[in-house]
Amino acid sequence: MAPLRHTFALAALLVVPPLLGAGPAMAGREPQLRVLLAEDDALRVVPADGPLLLRSASGELLGRVEQGMTLRADDDRIVGLPQPLAEVWLEPQGPEGSFWLQQRRYAGSLRLRARGGRLQAVNRLGVERYLASVVGSEMPARWPLEALRVQAVAARTYALRLWRPEADVDLGSTVSHQVYRGLEAETESTRAAVATTRSLVLTHRGQLIDSVFFSSSGGMTENSGEVWPRQLPYLRSVVDYDQDSPVYRWTVAFDEGQLQSAFPETGGASSIEPISQTSTGRLRQVLVRGPGGELNLSGGQLRQRLGLRSSFVRFRPPEDPDTVLERLGSWLGLRPALVAEGRGYGHGVGLSQWGTYGMALKGVSFDRILAHYYSNVDVQPYRPLARSEEHTSELQSPDHLVCRL
């Protein structure tokens, strides 16, 4: 394979305004988000639609990148550039241009920064373009348009609530914030969902809400205060219409080895019993009994240790073997030690994606679906002042994750 070449057009250096604005957005200007895409020792960037402009952190034009390049971090310097720098920007020449980072293609510009031997990649782009990908990353693009519109408004609200013009990074690209897979997740339907809800957000008393969402609740969403430290007026338990979800009900069997790995303090688990639960039945505290003693855990801790889809779960011993094969498995030690029977997928607070799908199939409009899952909210065009004083989650919990399907 021929060695990779870096082509830099050595034009006269041009001084241009910095790419990373420090002040608040102008009225009527689309907010520009900064999304953390990756952080690694080395990253590969490839132009997708013509050359990329290479600029310094101050906006100085350094050259043009016409072929792919692999950049590495050496302490606080980027290796592979014409000169050692701690931070650079790459941007397409045209407004519709794009670039590849690793295996995904993105619109907008890319900031690369070296810190402590790691290379950080941040994508800067307008919120509406970002959302066309998020909707397709979080929800199947073949779903009804009303469902996609619901996702667009919820995702826009979530992103703008975290957006801070002075920040280096606003949010990540995984389930810890919202899933963002770049241009390959965009489709005609996701772009239509974003365009037909352009600028619409959810507010409560003039403030952007914490528009958390999840996959499926198993029939009933949860009050935020029963899962996380704070009860918000718009995140209240409601009936969920998620019966079409493939994880509406689920069963998982655990053998002795799995339980010993999950609960080394007790040497496994012979039983897992509820101590307290939420009003809908999700576990808040449990008692794990094993050969080596007992252990108290929260529902979130239990879910993490066992990799459960949700904390809406109960445990029972396995049924006695009926067939010859089941008896043989039991004799060989392959019989499960405990069986988990659960419902739903995710934390259960806020918008249910499968419930949204069910309501959209019945012809319910996107604004009415949003009003069902978020209580006492308004759907209105975004205003920069309609933001909470705190830009982080109001819920303040390590378990506060936006879940995807």
Side-chain angles (χ1 to χ4, degrees), residues 146-276:
E146 291 304 293
L148 300 179
R149 284 171 171 156
V150 167
Q151 185 68 65
V153 176
R156 182 182 293 109
T157 306
Y158 188 87
L160 289 175
R161 194 172 184 284
L162 294 177
W163 174 63
R164 291 172 291 167
E166 71 281 2
D168 288 338
V169 176
D170 296 307
L171 68 173
S173 57
T174 68
V175 293
S176 60
H177 286 112
Q178 301 185 127
V179 182
Y180 169 59
R181 295 185 177 136
L183 290 173
E184 310 314 313
E186 287 188 21
T187 67
E188 184 177 344
S189 61
T190 67
R191 287 189 288 268
V194 174
T196 55
T197 62
R198 184 176 178 83
S199 85
L200 293 181
V201 292
L202 297 158
T203 64
H204 176 76
R205 295 184 178 178
Q207 301 287 325
L208 290 176
I209 72 166
D210 205 346
S211 54
V212 290
F213 51 88
F214 61 95
S215 176
S216 170
S217 75
M220 203 77 182
T221 72
E222 191 59 85
N223 293 308
S224 65
E226 295 193 74
V227 177
W228 299 317
R230 186 175 177 188
Q231 177 60 55
L232 297 178
Y234 48 81
L235 294 178
R236 299 198 175 277
S237 177
V238 297
V239 173
D240 196 4
Y241 299 95
D242 63 333
Q243 291 81 0
D244 291 324
S245 168
V247 288
Y248 183 77
R249 295 182 185 275
W250 48 266
T251 301
V252 179
F254 296 96
D255 61 33
E256 289 185 0
Q258 290 172 308
L259 295 172
Q260 288 169 358
S261 297
F263 310 111
E265 303 95 329
T266 59
S270 55
S271 68
I272 301 176
E273 302 171 3
I275 296 176
S276 63

Side-chain angles (χ1 to χ4, degrees), residues 301-354:
Q301 291 169 329
L302 177 70
R303 184 184 172 196
Q304 185 176 27
R305 288 196 183 207
L306 291 177
L308 299 172
R309 294 184 177 98
S310 77
S311 60
F312 202 162
V313 62
R314 295 295 184 273
F315 296 84
R316 63 169 176 80
E319 297 177 355
D320 292 332
D322 292 331
T323 67
V324 173
L325 284 176
E326 288 176 342
R327 287 194 290 272
L328 177 61
S330 178
W331 181 74
L332 292 172
L334 302 177
R335 183 169 178 254
L338 275 181
V339 176
E341 295 179 334
R343 299 167 70 171
Y345 188 1
H347 48 64
V349 179
L351 176 74
S352 164
Q353 291 169 315
W354 276 100

Side-chain angles (χ1 to χ4, degrees), residues 16-21 55-59 88-91 109-110 124:
V16 297
L19 290 169
L20 184 59
R55 297 185 187 275
S56 68
S58 64
V88 293
W89 283 86
L90 290 161
E91 60 176 359
S109 57
L110 178 70
R124 183 178 187 268

